[in-house]
Amino acid sequence: MTDIKVYENISIVTFSDVPSRKRFVSTTLSAVAESGINVDMISQTPPKSDMFSFGFTFSDDDIPTLLTVLPRITATPCVNSGNVKIVIKSEEMVDQAGFAAKVFKACENICADVMLITTSVDEISLLVGDSFAASLPEEIKKVLG
């Protein structure tokens, strides 16, 4: 059985081309945690030379608090709010080849721009613009059959 949940009012903050040899991730997440912001999805690119990109999601309600934290962070962020997180959870992912391919085919079918992806053994989380809150879950259900 596949379960699809939609979480609204999600923001993402991304930091591009930050030095990979510094403690950027730990110091950033510590500053955010000290301010009381609950971080959800976290993503980091593999290092390219000595640089990488890093981002995380949080509630739109915490944007004012994040804006007080950002001056303490050494990199310039990009903040995008008003998004939705769509979580697809299924035991089928554990053993079924092609499950993720079907999910991304559904995204392609409706031209959904995926801003962030995180996964686990039986779950795929996608961050997309709020205009896809209704259409993407329906398209995923259709593609998965």
Side-chain angles (χ1 to χ4, degrees), residues 17-57:
D17 298 325
V18 294
S20 63
R21 292 196 172 93
K22 297 196 177 184
R23 300 174 309 186
F24 184 80
V25 173
S26 65
T27 57
T28 299
L29 291 177
S30 293
V32 170
E34 289 167 8
S35 73
I37 295 173
N38 184 25
V39 169
D40 184 19
M41 301 169 73
I42 301 172
S43 180
Q44 176 182 319
T45 62
K48 182 178 179 184
S49 182
D50 64 341
M51 307 298 269
F52 72 102
S53 295
F54 162 72
F56 58 87
T57 62

Side-chain angles (χ1 to χ4, degrees), residues 116-133:
L116 188 65
I117 305 161
T118 59
T119 63
S120 68
V121 173
D122 64 350
E123 186 175 287
I124 299 171
S125 296
L126 307 172
L127 187 72
V128 297
D130 66 348
S131 62
F132 298 103

Side-chain angles (χ1 to χ4, degrees), residues 18-127:
V18 294
S20 63
R21 292 196 172 93
K22 297 196 177 184
R23 300 174 309 186
F24 184 80
V25 173
S26 65
T27 57
T28 299
L29 291 177
S30 293
V32 170
E34 289 167 8
S35 73
I37 295 173
N38 184 25
V39 169
D40 184 19
M41 301 169 73
I42 301 172
S43 180
Q44 176 182 319
T45 62
K48 182 178 179 184
S49 182
D50 64 341
M51 307 298 269
F52 72 102
S53 295
F54 162 72
F56 58 87
T57 62
F58 58 99
S59 171
D60 284 353
D61 295 338
D62 288 326
I63 288 177
T65 305
L66 181 73
L67 294 177
T68 68
V69 174
L70 290 178
R72 295 186 280 163
I73 298 171
T74 59
T76 304
C78 177
V79 180
N80 182 305
S81 62
N83 304 299
V84 295
K85 178 175 94 165
I86 298 175
V87 179
I88 305 99
K89 186 172 180 69
S90 177
E91 288 299 320
E92 295 174 29
M93 286 186 223
V94 176
D95 298 314
Q96 186 185 98
F99 192 96
K102 291 176 185 176
V103 169
F104 288 97
K105 179 64 176 164
C107 294
E108 177 187 323
N109 288 350
I110 63 166
C111 300
D113 291 325
V114 178
M115 292 178 260
L116 188 65
I117 305 161
T118 59
T119 63
S120 68
V121 173
D122 64 350
E123 186 175 287
I124 299 171
S125 296
L126 307 172
L127 187 72

